[in-house]
Amino acid sequence: MPRKSDDPFYSHELPGLDGLNAASANCQHEEHVYATIEKEGMGLCDKTIYILQKGSDVQRTTALDHLKHCFSECTGSEITKIIAELNNGLWQLEVKVQVAAATAIIDAIPSMLPDSVSELVDLTETMIQLNDDKSRSLWLDVYVSILHHVSSGFAEQEMVSRTLKKGGLSEPQHSRTLCCRLIGAFCERDCSPSIINQFIDKSIPLCQDTDLTVRAAMCQQLCPLAKAVGHSATRDTIMAEMLELLRDEEDAVSRTAFETLIEMLSFLEPTYRKQQIYPVIRNHVKDPPSSIQGILVQNFGKYIWSVKADLVESGDEDITIFLKRYVGQSVSNDAAVRKHCAYNLPAVCATVPIGYYTTKLHAVTVALSEDSCCSTRCSIAAGLHELVRILDHKSFSLFSTIFTNLITDKEPIVRDTIIVNLSSILNNFSANITDSDESEQYFTNLIPPIVQWWESHAPRSLAKLQIMYSHVDYFPHYFSVQQLHSVWLPLFIKQLSQGPRAFLSDTARTVIHFSRHLQNSSLEGELLTSLINDFGKSKSYPNRLSFIEICKHLLTYYSRKYFRERVLETILELSKDPVSAVRRRLVLLLPAIRKTLNPPADVDYLSNFIKIIATLQLDTNPEVIEAVTVVAAEIEELNKELIENPNPEEDRIDAVKEQEELVLREAAMEQVPLLLSFSLSHSLSLTQPLGFPH
């Protein structure tokens, strides 16, 4: 339906005539600027300066976005010209251009020479006097960044006096705040004692400033200042101001003081810390002021860990004070508080002696793992592997049920979180279960939720699959031969055919890795026969490509003799494959196959191998020809190396593999196979959804 002239669309959605004319004029102006640059053949420096002088705000912003690249390509004198242009006119431009310039300079400073960085000081001094808060805030960051990257001589001769001047009582609040930040930045440099003493004298009035923002800013810098002045001056001067700030009437200041005090604990002298500072922190935990209650909940684990040495040395009474505070928070009606408790639980457990876990903290863990808030359960799931590590030999008895509940949680995000550390947890469980029947039953019960998680993500989430592939190498440690054979091998063989090609190598390696742990040569042989029939001789060329990937990992996990006798004929038949991609992939595997043909291998194997290479050199596909040319030269070098520099270590490892295979074959001859024949056509359909026994 056509719009009428009085439709609000015209007044609200389309610019008026004046707007259209302005946009048209702006476009013409931008075109003129670019035309002038091209006509005069300006270099990078001149082009940047011209755009800053004549360009539109969009063009200026774009040029500033590339300032780091510009400085890297320009000489020192050219950088000086660009900085001078910014100093002359940037303060007059729109705020968005000033913001773009500050952001670009912060990004560029680390890669600039110190002399060039020092030229930015006058520009920055001008910009921090402007009234716009957003622009000024970024330019204050520029000033601090400059101090980190100028030369020591310039910093001491020019920046010290500027810094001290900015902290004067007559200076505006933002200037005094900048002074605090610069003092902290100076203390991170290697400064002379005389300069540090000047900063100590300046820090005292800043800690007592009438503006709470300045007091909080100076409080944040007391930690680097204390590190610079040493234990004695910290104890005699800085700590007095710190404790006074801790009692500040403004919550923002006292909260900052408490956080800074915690950071300072690590380098305070132990005796002084234990006698003077630790009691202050303990009392704040026992009866916290309103100003720190929020951060005490959020960072309780960090705080208790920071006082671990003094807390444990103080004994049961003090430990009980801290744990009482933590346990009280864990039963809060506020879900956010309980979530923070779940997040901090590993740090709390790592701090107090293990005996306190079973008496005071295990009930908290159980309650939080069953919390009605999904985020709380997620936090427990994210940290459970740390709890398992800390409790170690007690982990299975304490956490097995919690783990089972989390991996079967109704919320997918909880299950996703616990799966991330699956192998860390199960490795510990497996090592600490003493009853073999209990172990088999427990891990059997874990199969359905793990398979369900796999099948829910396998078709669409590569990131989730990558997580599972990081765990599967450990599955033979948890699951029985029968479970590997009947559940996990069919699952990954299905992936070979239907899964994403990005994980083809991982999947093939997993299949061969599991096959090596079947501990039964009959099962291994049946599996290999199925792989040959369903992949090596498949009518589907992706399956034949998968078979080549399978063979690559067979060469790693099995002996040369096993490969020659079971697989060599089938893999070399693919040299005649009608699909060039298959032939090319085979060519890339030929050097590894060549290593299996050393004596005592029958010479006929090597003769046939040489004929295959000759045939492939006559291939009609240019990509195959290119690959063969490279590989043939590589094999020629390999032939020389095998004769001139044989590797006895490789031979020893291969002999061990061969002996293991011989033992399994002999055992198989003496007993009836444990399981039914492994047949993909019977136990697994590559085109049907996977089923597994209950």
Side-chain angles (χ1 to χ4, degrees):
M1 178 182 293
R3 296 182 184 273
K4 299 180 180 180
S5 60
D6 60 348
D7 193 319
F9 169 83
Y10 287 106
S11 59
H12 293 288
E13 300 295 334
L14 294 179
L17 182 60
D18 292 342
L20 291 173
N21 289 336
S24 176
N26 187 61
C27 288
Q28 292 177 4
H29 173 71
E30 290 182 351
E31 290 175 0
H32 174 71
V33 169
Y34 286 132
T36 302
I37 291 172
E38 185 175 352
K39 179 181 178 181
E40 298 187 8
M42 295 182 185
L44 184 59
C45 173
D46 293 336
K47 179 174 70 173
T48 302
I49 293 174
Y50 184 77
I51 290 176
L52 291 174
Q53 293 173 339
K54 305 292 185 181
S56 67
D57 287 345
V58 172
Q59 289 175 315
R60 288 167 175 151
T61 301
T62 302
L64 290 168
D65 287 342
H66 295 84
L67 193 63
K68 180 178 180 180
H69 170 72
C70 177
F71 282 174
S72 68
E73 296 293 323
C74 291
T75 64
S77 59
E78 289 174 332
I79 293 175
T80 299
K81 291 170 61 178
I82 295 172
I83 294 174
E85 179 58 40
L86 289 171
N87 201 12
N88 288 335
L90 184 60
W91 61 275
Q92 305 176 68
L93 301 179
E94 292 291 331
V95 171
K96 61 182 178 182
V97 180
Q98 297 172 359
V99 168
T103 304
I105 289 173
I106 290 173
D107 186 40
I109 282 176
S111 59
M112 295 171 63
L113 295 174
D115 289 345
S116 296
V117 174
S118 63
E119 295 174 359
L120 293 167
V121 173
D122 290 337
L123 167 64
T124 310
E125 288 277 12
T126 301
M127 299 306 297
I128 62 176
Q129 304 304 319
L130 301 181
N131 293 326
D132 183 79
D133 290 339
K134 181 178 180 181
S135 174
R136 184 171 60 210
S137 175
L138 281 171
W139 282 99
L140 292 174
D141 293 339
V142 172
Y143 210 123
V144 176
S145 183
I146 288 172
L147 179 55
H148 282 298
H149 293 89
V150 293
S151 65
S152 298
F154 183 86
E156 295 189 5
Q157 295 169 15
E158 295 289 335
M159 301 290 285
V160 171
S161 58
R162 292 174 184 262
T163 297
L164 295 173
K165 181 181 178 181
K166 293 182 187 304
L169 293 177
S170 61
E171 294 293 318
Q173 173 265 325
H174 68 81
S175 180
R176 303 200 304 277
T177 302
L178 175 60
C179 175
C180 300
R181 296 179 62 189
L182 292 175
I183 288 175
F186 259 112
C187 291
E188 293 174 359
R189 300 177 63 104
D190 186 16
C191 296
S192 65
S194 61
I195 293 176
I196 294 298
N197 288 334
Q198 294 182 65
F199 289 149
I200 294 177
D201 295 339
K202 177 59 68 174
S203 68
I204 294 174
L206 290 172
C207 287
Q208 301 168 1
D209 197 278
T210 56
D211 189 285
L212 70 91
T213 306
V214 177
R215 297 200 302 276
M218 191 62 243
C219 183
Q220 287 178 319
Q221 307 307 322
L222 290 182
C223 190
L225 182 59
K227 290 180 179 179
V229 302
H231 291 294
S232 179
T234 298
R235 182 179 63 249
D236 298 339
T237 305
I238 294 178
M239 290 311 301
E241 297 300 325
M242 173 63 72
L243 296 176
E244 190 63 35
L245 289 167
L246 199 60
R247 295 188 290 268
D248 197 281
E249 60 186 9
E250 294 292 341
D251 287 355
V253 178
S254 59
R255 181 166 53 248
T256 303
F258 186 78
E259 292 179 311
T260 304
L261 184 63
I262 293 292
E263 291 180 12
M264 294 174 66
L265 290 175
S266 62
F267 59 86
L268 291 177
E269 192 271 325
T271 302
Y272 173 77
R273 183 192 67 214
K274 173 72 186 309
Q275 295 176 353
Q276 303 296 326
I277 306 304
Y278 167 71
V280 175
I281 296 174
R282 179 196 59 204
N283 293 337
H284 273 66
V285 171
K286 183 178 181 180
D287 186 18
S290 60
S291 61
I292 72 163
Q293 288 181 0
I295 60 171
L296 194 60
V297 169
Q298 295 175 18
N299 303 314
F300 191 88
K302 172 185 175 182
Y303 298 158
I304 193 173
W305 177 259
S306 67
V307 298
K308 177 179 179 179
D310 299 330
L311 176 63
V312 173
E313 186 178 334
S314 298
D316 181 71
E317 182 179 353
D318 283 10
I319 293 174
T320 301
I321 289 174
F322 278 79
L323 292 184
K324 182 178 179 181
R325 171 62 51 189
Y326 176 76
V327 173
Q329 293 171 354
S330 72
V331 295
S332 169
N333 292 328
D334 188 340
V337 173
R338 300 196 305 275
K339 176 186 175 182
H340 286 305
C341 287
Y343 172 81
N344 287 305
L345 180 58
V348 176
C349 293
T351 301
V352 300
I354 290 179
Y356 286 90
Y357 179 82
T358 53
T359 58
K360 297 182 182 296
L361 294 175
H362 184 60
V364 173
T365 309
V366 173
L368 294 175
S369 70
E370 298 172 351
D371 196 274
S372 58
C373 175
C374 175
S375 296
T376 301
R377 301 197 303 277
C378 271
S379 291
I380 290 292
L384 187 64
H385 66 291
E386 289 294 337
L387 297 178
V388 167
R389 181 187 60 80
I390 293 167
L391 275 298
D392 198 19
H393 64 280
K394 296 182 179 180
S395 61
F396 180 74
S397 61
L398 291 171
F399 302 119
S400 57
T401 302
I402 294 175
F403 174 78
T404 302
N405 291 339
L406 291 171
I407 204 171
T408 56
D409 195 277
K410 63 181 179 180
E411 295 294 338
I413 190 172
V414 178
R415 301 195 298 271
D416 291 349
T417 303
I418 196 68
I419 284 289
V420 170
N421 296 297
L422 179 69
S423 58
S424 296
I425 296 171
L426 295 188
N427 283 345
N428 191 288
F429 284 180
S430 177
N432 289 298
I433 304 178
T434 55
D435 188 326
S436 59
D437 292 337
E438 182 182 16
S439 173
E440 182 173 356
Q441 183 60 50
Y442 182 76
F443 287 112
T444 298
N445 292 337
L446 291 180
I447 291 176
I450 296 175
V451 171
Q452 183 181 7
W453 185 90
W454 172 274
E455 292 186 328
S456 66
H457 293 295
R460 60 184 183 275
S461 177
L462 297 185
K464 296 292 194 305
L465 289 185
Q466 184 64 60
I467 291 172
M468 181 57 77
Y469 276 109
S470 69
H471 301 311
V472 293
D473 279 0
Y474 298 99
F475 279 17
H477 302 319
Y478 323 137
F479 302 110
S480 67
V481 169
Q482 183 174 355
Q483 290 163 347
L484 288 176
H485 180 267
S486 61
V487 178
W488 297 116
L489 273 169
L491 187 78
F492 285 97
I493 291 172
K494 179 182 178 182
Q495 282 293 106
L496 280 174
S497 178
Q498 299 180 10
R501 305 303 287 181
F503 290 104
L504 174 59
S505 182
D506 291 314
T507 307
R509 185 191 57 77
T510 300
V511 169
I512 301 306
H513 176 66
F514 285 177
S515 75
R516 191 65 177 170
H517 285 81
L518 290 178
Q519 301 174 3
N520 185 297
S521 64
S522 298
L523 296 181
E524 289 180 1
E526 292 161 4
L527 170 62
L528 184 58
T529 299
S530 296
L531 293 174
I532 290 173
N533 291 335
D534 292 306
F535 290 90
K537 299 180 179 180
S538 172
K539 294 181 179 180
S540 164
Y541 92 86
N543 281 355
R544 299 196 298 275
L545 283 172
S546 298
F547 182 71
I548 296 174
E549 198 67 31
I550 290 169
C551 289
K552 183 180 82 172
H553 295 289
L554 273 167
L555 288 163
T556 301
Y557 280 84
Y558 286 86
S559 69
R560 301 164 187 165
K561 180 179 179 181
Y562 188 94
F563 185 85
R564 290 194 303 268
E565 294 178 352
R566 303 291 187 92
V567 186
L568 183 61
E569 181 180 356
T570 304
I571 187 70
L572 293 182
E573 279 295 314
L574 295 180
S575 63
K576 305 172 185 176
D577 198 279
V579 179
S580 61
V582 176
R583 301 196 303 275
R584 183 179 180 278
R585 185 66 189 86
L586 171 64
V587 168
L588 299 179
L589 190 62
L590 289 178
I593 295 176
R594 168 64 185 88
K595 291 184 178 181
T596 69
L597 307 181
N598 293 343
D602 194 307
V603 292
D604 290 343
Y605 287 124
L606 184 57
S607 175
N608 188 36
F609 180 80
I610 294 172
K611 291 178 182 177
I612 294 296
I613 295 178
T615 301
L616 288 168
Q617 287 174 326
L618 301 176
D619 200 282
T620 57
N621 184 276
E623 292 184 354
V624 176
I625 291 294
E626 181 183 0
V628 172
T629 302
V630 174
V631 167
E634 184 178 338
I635 291 175
E636 192 65 33
E637 288 296 320
L638 182 61
N639 290 336
K640 294 179 181 178
E641 183 178 343
L642 291 173
I643 296 172
E644 298 173 0
N645 300 302
N647 190 329
E649 180 61 19
E650 286 187 1
D651 294 339
R652 185 192 65 79
I653 294 173
D654 185 71
V656 171
K657 294 177 185 176
E658 189 173 331
Q659 181 61 31
E660 291 173 354
E661 292 156 5
L662 177 61
V663 170
L664 288 178
R665 282 198 298 271
E666 291 175 349
M669 294 176 184
E670 298 174 359
Q671 59 180 324
V672 178
L674 297 176
L675 299 170
L676 297 176
S677 172
F678 189 97
S679 171
L680 290 180
S681 62
H682 176 69
S683 64
L684 173 68
S685 169
L686 294 177
T687 59
Q688 297 296 326
L690 174 69
F692 58 88
H694 293 289

